[in-house]
Amino acid sequence: MAEYNKSDLEKRMKASIEALKHDLSGLRTGRANTALLDSITVEVYGAKMPLNQVATVSVPEPRMLSIQVWDKGNIQPVEKAVRSAGLGLNPMVDGPNIRLPIPDLTEERRKELAKMTGQFAEKSRIAIRNVRRDGMDDIKADENKKEIGEDDKKRLETEVQKLTDDMIAEADKLASAKEQEILTQ
């Protein structure tokens, strides 16, 4: 049975693009966005849990995030987790709620975020190239098993390379758009 599966390669490459979108959504651009807090885990009940499993996060104003903690005993751990997340946010406890004003971005912070955007894009490009390598290995395995000929091998390799180029272009486009958004806000 043939090793090469185009739909599997495409699905795996698209997963890399989705991961990039998720990573980029967590970068702060000066506007409040609940995705900023997606990566935060809180130590409660003797375990580390994602913030969205111990509180509700909302955007009451364009430059303010609000965290409504479900269990009042978890307010301190949530505040500590937000402070230590390295997002540059200063939580203010207001009863059962924690308010997070989104400060203006400094030029230095903008450049740092733009650099992080490039790092996320490079990580995505590497993942896409690794999927390409797997596809090329599968094609070679099929040729070695005499399941495909040399002409089919060349055609499939060209197909995999085109898919790779398209996905890398998509990753570059996403990163470039996010970089522009960060630098012009």
Side-chain angles (χ1 to χ4, degrees), residues 28-75:
R28 187 161 64 88
T29 60
R31 291 191 310 251
N33 181 351
T34 59
L36 292 173
L37 306 178
D38 283 351
S39 63
I40 295 177
T41 57
V42 183
E43 183 138 350
V44 291
Y45 310 120
K48 285 193 174 266
M49 301 175 76
L51 178 63
N52 64 5
Q53 291 185 6
V54 295
T56 302
V57 180
S58 61
V59 183
E61 300 173 24
R63 299 185 58 78
M64 175 79 66
L65 286 171
S66 176
I67 303 172
Q68 185 175 7
V69 182
W70 301 328
D71 182 355
K72 290 181 183 179
N74 292 337
I75 291 175

Side-chain angles (χ1 to χ4, degrees), residues 4 135-161:
Y4 173 72
M136 295 296 194
D137 290 347
D138 290 346
I139 291 169
K140 286 177 187 165
D142 287 346
E143 184 189 32
N144 290 340
K145 291 186 212 169
K146 306 286 188 221
E147 292 181 6
I148 60 173
E150 194 169 324
D151 290 344
D152 287 336
K153 176 188 172 208
K154 292 286 184 200
R155 181 183 52 78
L156 292 174
E157 285 176 344
T158 303
E159 193 175 274
V160 170
Q161 186 60 47

Side-chain angles (χ1 to χ4, degrees), residues 106-116 182-183:
T106 64
E107 188 64 29
E108 180 181 314
R109 181 71 177 146
R110 287 178 195 277
K111 288 179 181 175
E112 187 178 313
L113 289 173
K115 186 177 177 183
M116 287 176 66
I182 288 169
L183 294 174

